[in-house]
Amino acid sequence: MRHRQALAVLVGLGAMAGLAGCGNRPNNLETYYDDPTPVHDTSVAAAPRPVAPVSPSPAPDPRRAQEALLSDPDVAEEGVAPGSGRVSGCLNGLAAGERKSVSWVYPSGSALTHEVTVYADRSGADVVSAMHCAGTEVSLPPQPGVTAQRAWCDGATCAVLLAKGNLVSALSVVASTPARAQDAAKRLLPKLVAKLPLQP
């Protein structure tokens, strides 16, 4: 009787040992002794990706500035002739960009200058908002399609700045009296707006 009990115990221990040897592997005799599936180490850091170079801002198109300039027919009613006008300090303070300019002179010697600047890295409204011109800032009637507009008069010199998209249109009028400078600026304001591009 004791011999049978000892035999049963040994058989049970052998079965348990067989189970322990299996571990977590499937109990399939056809595949049990095959090499286990290799485990890939995911702790290795991936190689850094190359950083794409930052492309520079596209250069502004000078044709946009040229197309927005006043022409001789636009100012014909002013009685002016092409010439080299005096640019006010306000226009001299504009941020640099792709710029085109044209000037006329009145028979009295007064001057009219128009400049258009196109920017590649900023909006025209930001340029106009940052401007500080000498003299007194004056209000103008709101103009359609314009994102920013400001005007100053310093004695007999008036300057008007209009912004649309990345473009700034700037007019300088130097007249014999403050009243004449303001009147000329107001007369030419709608023509400045009409020359602005339809698309910003």
Side-chain angles (χ1 to χ4, degrees):
M1 185 70 180
R2 291 181 181 177
H3 178 73
R4 290 180 181 177
Q5 291 178 347
L7 183 60
V9 169
L10 289 175
V11 171
L13 290 174
M16 292 177 64
L19 291 175
C22 293
N24 293 326
R25 299 175 63 182
N27 195 11
N28 187 337
L29 294 179
E30 294 181 1
T31 61
Y32 184 81
Y33 292 102
D34 293 344
D35 290 335
T37 303
V39 178
H40 297 286
D41 186 3
T42 58
S43 63
V44 179
R49 295 181 180 180
V51 178
V54 178
S55 58
S57 300
D61 187 353
R63 292 176 299 179
R64 297 188 69 225
Q66 185 67 44
E67 291 169 358
L69 273 179
L70 292 175
S71 63
D72 289 340
D74 294 326
V75 297
E77 295 180 358
E78 294 293 311
V80 293
S84 178
R86 289 179 293 151
V87 178
S88 72
C90 190
L91 270 62
N92 285 329
L94 276 175
E98 184 66 43
R99 182 169 299 167
K100 299 292 182 180
S101 64
V102 63
S103 297
W104 297 270
V105 293
Y106 288 90
S108 63
S110 300
L112 179 67
T113 301
H114 184 216
E115 292 188 349
V116 179
T117 307
V118 181
Y119 298 95
D121 57 349
R122 69 193 76 188
S123 70
D126 289 342
V127 174
V128 172
S129 298
M131 284 297 296
H132 298 284
C133 297
T136 302
E137 188 164 0
V138 297
S139 61
L140 296 173
Q143 300 300 308
V146 175
T147 55
Q149 64 180 52
R150 297 176 74 184
W152 293 264
C153 285
D154 184 18
T157 299
C158 289
V160 177
L161 302 181
L162 304 176
K164 184 172 185 179
N166 65 338
L167 181 147
V168 172
S169 177
L171 178 72
S172 170
V173 181
V174 181
S176 56
T177 66
R180 288 183 176 180
Q182 291 187 36
D183 289 344
K186 291 177 181 179
R187 284 195 306 269
L188 291 169
L189 179 60
K191 296 184 178 182
L192 293 175
V193 176
K195 300 292 286 192
L196 293 174
L198 296 178
Q199 298 297 327

